[in-house]
Amino acid sequence: MAIRVETTSTVPIYEQIADQIVFAVATADLQPGDPVPSVRDLSVQLTVNPNTVVRAYQELERMGVIEPVRGRGMFITSDAAKTCRDRRKELIRDTVKATVREAVSAGLTADDLHALIDAEWPHPIRNGSHKSK
Amino acid sequence: MAIRVETTSTVPIYEQIADQIVFAVATADLQPGDPVPSVRDLSVQLTVNPNTVVRAYQELERMGVIEPVRGRGMFITSDAAKTCRDRRKELIRDTVKATVREAVSAGLTADDLHALIDAEWPHPIRNGSHKSK
Amino acid sequence: MAIRVETTSTVPIYEQIADQIVFAVATADLQPGDPVPSVRDLSVQLTVNPNTVVRAYQELERMGVIEPVRGRGMFITSDAAKTCRDRRKELIRDTVKATVREAVSAGLTADDLHALIDAEWPHPIRNGSHKSK
Amino acid sequence: MAIRVETTSTVPIYEQIADQIVFAVATADLQPGDPVPSVRDLSVQLTVNPNTVVRAYQELERMGVIEPVRGRGMFITSDAAKTCRDRRKELIRDTVKATVREAVSAGLTADDLHALIDAEWPHPIRNGSHKSK
DNA sequence: GTGGTCTAGACCACT
DNA sequence: GTGGTCTAGACCACC
């Protein structure tokens, strides 16, 4: 479970952290009962202000993704998986919606956008791309 | 040339204005030599502070998209078209890149993402969708 | 007597016009009694707003460089030569003062500045430059 | 690192501030990684509106001279030194070019201009001036 | 504490 | 009329 933050991004650091943990839970990289790193450890590891990690964890706690166990730390809750999958779906839908809006206002067709996505997709699509049936 | 701003968006208003003008030039809705609305007019039309428009125009001037003619207003430069097409391409590529990154980290396949886009595309695709050839 | 204006410059157009006439008088390109072009002609020639020429001429009249002759136009005054030579000297001294200040704050030596000037001087200095010891 | 602004000058205050920081970096008075004064501090120190400082800093950020670290302030970038040296050179060359143009159109010789500069140079040149042949 | 954005309104120079 | 600059002060998010 490696978390990476981009200090240059406009996305708040605490949100980057929270989102990455949400995604890790959604993909089962983190499972219910697993501990999350201590605020202190994570802040050192990311060279980030501890308060920033605290805020990320507050967000996650508010969403019911993690819960504190007194004296032991914070742990993934039992029903985090569903919450995170839902949250992930919501995040992606928002992103896609914004992308589509931008593409439309630029006068692109749906096919143009699909082509751009394929071009940016990390593992080049060799065959059986979306274009073929 | 209708400009619309969303005050709720996290994207600064001045950037929304600048981007829309860039897109308008890229699609030839605005052509070299055309005037852009006066700062005062646009600020009234958008019910936005004049300084916000000023800042948008400063961005565009810095990019070489518009140029001031003293006492007369701001005008689309002669080489704005190329600049704007490039800029538009860049903006979209950045957006797509971010979207793909998010989709990948969520464990989606390329086909999943394509499906999401079609779902969000404003004019529903009736037939001959990207899926078919 | 060819006047040229740069609309891109930050120097007001009316001032560019006035300064060039001052310089022309100072170098005797324009002599006492000579007419200056009519507002209308000059504004057409420079593709500039007539009011801009009017303002330039007002400046010159205020300085006593030109004077109106009813129904005939504006003419160089008899004591314009001295006024213009003084004014020219003043303008140049101001410019030099600003240049020196900038060079000093950039950490240049006087010799550095002299070298820069020779480099920019239009007619290359072949020998016997200021540098020779 | 003392910044001084002249409110009487025609040069915008925000530009005076930006230029002085550029010069400070070019002369290594400010080094990569160094912080620049906070917007609030500098605005108080110069008795200038914070927004004026903000604008100066925006200029510098756009040039890649400083970069914001969220919640901590603005810092000199690692490659600011070269940028600033280039920029300083450009600024001075522009100034010199304008000065030479003015001198030429006034009918001065290169030697005349050199003499004027020596006359304005802050620490009078005692001997071995450039004039010596 | 930091910078980022926006509003409101003023004054100026230029056309 | 136009844009350019500056002031004053507010609110926000982030650290």
Side-chain angles (χ1 to χ4, degrees), chain A residues 64-99:
Chain A
V65 172
I66 62 178
E67 60 188 353
V69 175
R70 271 222 294 270
R72 305 226 3 255
M74 310 276 294
F75 295 82
I76 308 293
T77 62
S78 56
D79 52 347
K82 178 172 183 352
T83 306
C84 288
R85 280 195 301 269
D86 290 352
R87 172 75 179 139
R88 177 182 64 174
K89 198 177 296 178
E90 183 189 333
L91 283 172
I92 291 178
R93 193 180 310 281
D94 286 351
T95 303
V96 167
K97 200 171 294 190
T99 305

Short mmCIF file of all heavy atoms in Angstrom, two decimals, chain A residues 64-99:
data_model
loop_
_atom_site.label_atom_id
_atom_site.label_comp_id
_atom_site.label_asym_id
_atom_site.label_seq_id
_atom_site.Cartn_x
_atom_site.Cartn_y
_atom_site.Cartn_z
N GLY A 64 -16.97 6.71 7.44
CA GLY A 64 -17.15 5.36 7.98
C GLY A 64 -16.21 4.34 7.37
O GLY A 64 -16.48 3.14 7.38
N VAL A 65 -15.09 4.80 6.85
CA VAL A 65 -14.14 3.89 6.21
C VAL A 65 -13.14 3.36 7.23
O VAL A 65 -12.72 2.21 7.17
CB VAL A 65 -13.40 4.60 5.06
CG1 VAL A 65 -12.28 3.74 4.51
CG2 VAL A 65 -14.39 4.97 3.97
N ILE A 66 -12.75 4.21 8.14
CA ILE A 66 -11.84 3.75 9.19
C ILE A 66 -12.44 4.11 10.54
O ILE A 66 -13.33 4.96 10.65
CB ILE A 66 -10.44 4.41 9.07
CG1 ILE A 66 -10.54 5.94 9.23
CG2 ILE A 66 -9.78 4.04 7.76
CD1 ILE A 66 -9.21 6.65 9.17
N GLU A 67 -11.97 3.41 11.56
CA GLU A 67 -12.45 3.71 12.91
C GLU A 67 -11.29 3.58 13.88
O GLU A 67 -10.39 2.75 13.67
CB GLU A 67 -13.59 2.76 13.30
CG GLU A 67 -13.19 1.30 13.29
CD GLU A 67 -14.37 0.36 13.48
OE1 GLU A 67 -15.49 0.86 13.74
OE2 GLU A 67 -14.18 -0.86 13.35
N PRO A 68 -11.30 4.40 14.91
CA PRO A 68 -10.19 4.35 15.87
C PRO A 68 -10.41 3.22 16.87
O PRO A 68 -11.55 2.91 17.24
CB PRO A 68 -10.28 5.71 16.57
CG PRO A 68 -11.73 6.09 16.47
CD PRO A 68 -12.28 5.44 15.23
N VAL A 69 -9.32 2.59 17.25
CA VAL A 69 -9.35 1.63 18.37
C VAL A 69 -8.39 2.19 19.40
O VAL A 69 -7.21 2.36 19.12
CB VAL A 69 -8.90 0.22 17.93
CG1 VAL A 69 -8.83 -0.69 19.14
CG2 VAL A 69 -9.87 -0.32 16.89
N ARG A 70 -8.96 2.48 20.56
CA ARG A 70 -8.18 3.25 21.54
C ARG A 70 -6.82 2.64 21.84
O ARG A 70 -6.72 1.47 22.17
CB ARG A 70 -8.98 3.37 22.85
CG ARG A 70 -9.88 4.57 22.87
CD ARG A 70 -9.81 5.24 24.23
NE ARG A 70 -10.36 4.42 25.29
CZ ARG A 70 -11.64 4.45 25.66
NH1 ARG A 70 -12.49 5.27 25.07
NH2 ARG A 70 -12.06 3.69 26.63
N GLY A 71 -5.82 3.46 21.68
CA GLY A 71 -4.48 3.01 22.03
C GLY A 71 -3.84 2.13 20.98
O GLY A 71 -2.66 1.80 21.07
N ARG A 72 -4.58 1.73 19.96
CA ARG A 72 -4.00 0.82 18.98
C ARG A 72 -3.87 1.46 17.60
O ARG A 72 -3.03 1.03 16.81
CB ARG A 72 -4.85 -0.46 18.87
CG ARG A 72 -5.03 -1.13 20.24
CD ARG A 72 -4.81 -2.63 20.21
NE ARG A 72 -4.39 -3.17 18.93
CZ ARG A 72 -5.21 -3.86 18.12
NH1 ARG A 72 -6.48 -4.03 18.43
NH2 ARG A 72 -4.75 -4.34 16.99
N GLY A 73 -4.73 2.46 17.31
CA GLY A 73 -4.63 3.11 16.00
C GLY A 73 -5.96 3.08 15.28
O GLY A 73 -7.01 2.87 15.87
N MET A 74 -5.89 3.30 13.95
CA MET A 74 -7.10 3.37 13.14
C MET A 74 -7.15 2.12 12.25
O MET A 74 -6.14 1.70 11.69
CB MET A 74 -7.08 4.62 12.25
CG MET A 74 -6.76 5.92 12.97
SD MET A 74 -8.18 6.69 13.76
CE MET A 74 -9.18 7.14 12.35
N PHE A 75 -8.37 1.59 12.08
CA PHE A 75 -8.52 0.35 11.31
C PHE A 75 -9.65 0.47 10.30
O PHE A 75 -10.62 1.22 10.51
CB PHE A 75 -8.80 -0.82 12.26
CG PHE A 75 -7.65 -1.12 13.17
CD1 PHE A 75 -7.46 -0.38 14.34
CD2 PHE A 75 -6.74 -2.11 12.84
CE1 PHE A 75 -6.38 -0.63 15.17
CE2 PHE A 75 -5.66 -2.37 13.68
CZ PHE A 75 -5.48 -1.63 14.85
N ILE A 76 -9.50 -0.25 9.21
CA ILE A 76 -10.55 -0.30 8.19
C ILE A 76 -11.80 -0.93 8.82
O ILE A 76 -11.71 -1.98 9.45
CB ILE A 76 -10.10 -1.14 6.98
CG1 ILE A 76 -8.73 -0.67 6.46
CG2 ILE A 76 -11.17 -1.11 5.90
CD1 ILE A 76 -8.73 0.69 5.85
N THR A 77 -12.95 -0.28 8.62
CA THR A 77 -14.19 -0.81 9.22
C THR A 77 -14.69 -2.01 8.42
O THR A 77 -14.24 -2.27 7.30
CB THR A 77 -15.29 0.26 9.21
OG1 THR A 77 -15.58 0.61 7.87
CG2 THR A 77 -14.85 1.49 9.99
N SER A 78 -15.63 -2.72 9.03
CA SER A 78 -16.13 -3.94 8.39
C SER A 78 -16.95 -3.64 7.14
O SER A 78 -16.97 -4.43 6.20
CB SER A 78 -16.96 -4.75 9.39
OG SER A 78 -18.00 -3.94 9.90
N ASP A 79 -17.63 -2.50 7.14
CA ASP A 79 -18.43 -2.21 5.94
C ASP A 79 -17.78 -1.13 5.06
O ASP A 79 -18.46 -0.42 4.33
CB ASP A 79 -19.86 -1.81 6.31
CG ASP A 79 -19.87 -0.70 7.35
OD1 ASP A 79 -18.80 -0.44 7.93
OD2 ASP A 79 -20.93 -0.09 7.57
N ALA A 80 -16.46 -1.04 5.16
CA ALA A 80 -15.76 -0.04 4.36
C ALA A 80 -15.79 -0.40 2.88
O ALA A 80 -15.83 0.49 2.01
CB ALA A 80 -14.31 0.10 4.82
N ALA A 81 -15.76 -1.68 2.61
CA ALA A 81 -15.63 -2.11 1.21
C ALA A 81 -16.74 -1.52 0.35
O ALA A 81 -16.48 -0.88 -0.68
CB ALA A 81 -15.63 -3.63 1.13
N LYS A 82 -17.98 -1.73 0.79
CA LYS A 82 -19.09 -1.20 -0.01
C LYS A 82 -19.03 0.32 -0.11
O LYS A 82 -19.15 0.91 -1.19
CB LYS A 82 -20.43 -1.61 0.62
CG LYS A 82 -21.62 -1.05 -0.17
CD LYS A 82 -22.94 -1.57 0.31
CE LYS A 82 -24.10 -1.01 -0.57
NZ LYS A 82 -23.70 0.00 -1.52
N THR A 83 -18.82 0.98 1.03
CA THR A 83 -18.72 2.44 1.04
C THR A 83 -17.69 2.92 0.03
O THR A 83 -17.94 3.86 -0.73
CB THR A 83 -18.30 2.91 2.44
OG1 THR A 83 -19.19 2.37 3.41
CG2 THR A 83 -18.32 4.43 2.52
N CYS A 84 -16.56 2.26 0.03
CA CYS A 84 -15.48 2.72 -0.83
C CYS A 84 -15.77 2.45 -2.30
O CYS A 84 -15.42 3.26 -3.17
CB CYS A 84 -14.16 2.05 -0.43
SG CYS A 84 -13.52 2.69 1.12
N ARG A 85 -16.38 1.31 -2.56
CA ARG A 85 -16.72 1.03 -3.96
C ARG A 85 -17.71 2.08 -4.46
O ARG A 85 -17.58 2.60 -5.57
CB ARG A 85 -17.30 -0.39 -4.10
CG ARG A 85 -16.23 -1.48 -4.14
CD ARG A 85 -16.80 -2.80 -4.63
NE ARG A 85 -17.89 -3.27 -3.78
CZ ARG A 85 -17.75 -4.07 -2.74
NH1 ARG A 85 -16.54 -4.49 -2.40
NH2 ARG A 85 -18.79 -4.45 -2.04
N ASP A 86 -18.69 2.39 -3.61
CA ASP A 86 -19.66 3.43 -3.99
C ASP A 86 -18.97 4.78 -4.20
O ASP A 86 -19.21 5.47 -5.18
CB ASP A 86 -20.74 3.58 -2.91
CG ASP A 86 -21.67 2.39 -2.87
OD1 ASP A 86 -21.56 1.53 -3.78
OD2 ASP A 86 -22.48 2.29 -1.94
N ARG A 87 -18.15 5.11 -3.24
CA ARG A 87 -17.45 6.39 -3.31
C ARG A 87 -16.57 6.46 -4.57
O ARG A 87 -16.52 7.47 -5.25
CB ARG A 87 -16.60 6.55 -2.05
CG ARG A 87 -15.68 7.74 -2.06
CD ARG A 87 -16.42 9.04 -1.83
NE ARG A 87 -15.52 10.18 -1.82
CZ ARG A 87 -15.78 11.34 -2.38
NH1 ARG A 87 -16.93 11.54 -2.98
NH2 ARG A 87 -14.91 12.32 -2.34
N ARG A 88 -15.89 5.36 -4.83
CA ARG A 88 -15.04 5.32 -6.00
C ARG A 88 -15.86 5.53 -7.27
O ARG A 88 -15.50 6.30 -8.15
CB ARG A 88 -14.33 3.96 -6.09
CG ARG A 88 -13.47 3.80 -7.32
CD ARG A 88 -12.84 2.43 -7.39
NE ARG A 88 -13.85 1.39 -7.53
CZ ARG A 88 -13.57 0.11 -7.72
NH1 ARG A 88 -12.32 -0.30 -7.74
NH2 ARG A 88 -14.53 -0.78 -7.85
N LYS A 89 -17.00 4.86 -7.32
CA LYS A 89 -17.88 5.00 -8.48
C LYS A 89 -18.30 6.46 -8.65
O LYS A 89 -18.29 7.01 -9.75
CB LYS A 89 -19.12 4.11 -8.30
CG LYS A 89 -19.87 3.83 -9.57
CD LYS A 89 -21.05 2.88 -9.32
CE LYS A 89 -20.60 1.51 -8.85
NZ LYS A 89 -21.73 0.60 -8.58
N GLU A 90 -18.64 7.08 -7.52
CA GLU A 90 -19.08 8.47 -7.55
C GLU A 90 -17.96 9.38 -8.05
O GLU A 90 -18.17 10.26 -8.89
CB GLU A 90 -19.51 8.87 -6.13
CG GLU A 90 -20.07 10.26 -5.99
CD GLU A 90 -20.23 10.61 -4.50
OE1 GLU A 90 -20.40 9.67 -3.68
OE2 GLU A 90 -20.14 11.81 -4.17
N LEU A 91 -16.75 9.17 -7.52
CA LEU A 91 -15.62 9.99 -7.92
C LEU A 91 -15.39 9.87 -9.42
O LEU A 91 -15.17 10.86 -10.12
CB LEU A 91 -14.35 9.55 -7.18
CG LEU A 91 -14.20 9.99 -5.73
CD1 LEU A 91 -12.99 9.33 -5.08
CD2 LEU A 91 -14.07 11.51 -5.65
N ILE A 92 -15.44 8.65 -9.90
CA ILE A 92 -15.14 8.44 -11.31
C ILE A 92 -16.24 9.02 -12.18
O ILE A 92 -15.98 9.64 -13.21
CB ILE A 92 -14.95 6.94 -11.59
CG1 ILE A 92 -13.66 6.48 -10.93
CG2 ILE A 92 -14.93 6.67 -13.08
CD1 ILE A 92 -13.37 5.02 -11.09
N ARG A 93 -17.48 8.86 -11.74
CA ARG A 93 -18.56 9.41 -12.54
C ARG A 93 -18.40 10.93 -12.64
O ARG A 93 -18.59 11.51 -13.71
CB ARG A 93 -19.92 9.06 -11.94
CG ARG A 93 -21.08 9.34 -12.92
CD ARG A 93 -22.42 8.98 -12.32
NE ARG A 93 -22.44 7.65 -11.74
CZ ARG A 93 -22.56 6.54 -12.44
NH1 ARG A 93 -22.69 6.60 -13.76
NH2 ARG A 93 -22.56 5.36 -11.84
N ASP A 94 -18.04 11.57 -11.54
CA ASP A 94 -17.83 13.02 -11.57
C ASP A 94 -16.73 13.38 -12.56
O ASP A 94 -16.86 14.32 -13.35
CB ASP A 94 -17.44 13.54 -10.18
CG ASP A 94 -18.65 13.56 -9.24
OD1 ASP A 94 -19.78 13.35 -9.72
OD2 ASP A 94 -18.45 13.78 -8.04
N THR A 95 -15.65 12.64 -12.49
CA THR A 95 -14.53 12.92 -13.38
C THR A 95 -14.95 12.75 -14.83
O THR A 95 -14.66 13.60 -15.69
CB THR A 95 -13.35 11.98 -13.07
OG1 THR A 95 -12.99 12.14 -11.72
CG2 THR A 95 -12.18 12.29 -13.97
N VAL A 96 -15.62 11.65 -15.10
CA VAL A 96 -16.04 11.37 -16.47
C VAL A 96 -17.00 12.45 -16.96
O VAL A 96 -16.88 12.95 -18.08
CB VAL A 96 -16.71 9.98 -16.56
CG1 VAL A 96 -17.42 9.82 -17.90
CG2 VAL A 96 -15.67 8.89 -16.37
N LYS A 97 -17.89 12.86 -16.08
CA LYS A 97 -18.86 13.88 -16.46
C LYS A 97 -18.14 15.17 -16.87
O LYS A 97 -18.43 15.77 -17.91
CB LYS A 97 -19.80 14.15 -15.26
CG LYS A 97 -21.10 14.80 -15.64
CD LYS A 97 -22.06 14.84 -14.44
CE LYS A 97 -22.51 13.45 -14.01
NZ LYS A 97 -23.60 13.46 -13.03
N ALA A 98 -17.15 15.56 -16.08
CA ALA A 98 -16.40 16.78 -16.38
C ALA A 98 -15.64 16.62 -17.69
O ALA A 98 -15.57 17.55 -18.51
CB ALA A 98 -15.43 17.09 -15.24
N THR A 99 -15.07 15.43 -17.89
CA THR A 99 -14.31 15.19 -19.12
C THR A 99 -15.21 15.28 -20.34
O THR A 99 -14.86 15.90 -21.35
CB THR A 99 -13.65 13.80 -19.06
OG1 THR A 99 -12.86 13.72 -17.87
CG2 THR A 99 -12.78 13.57 -20.28
#
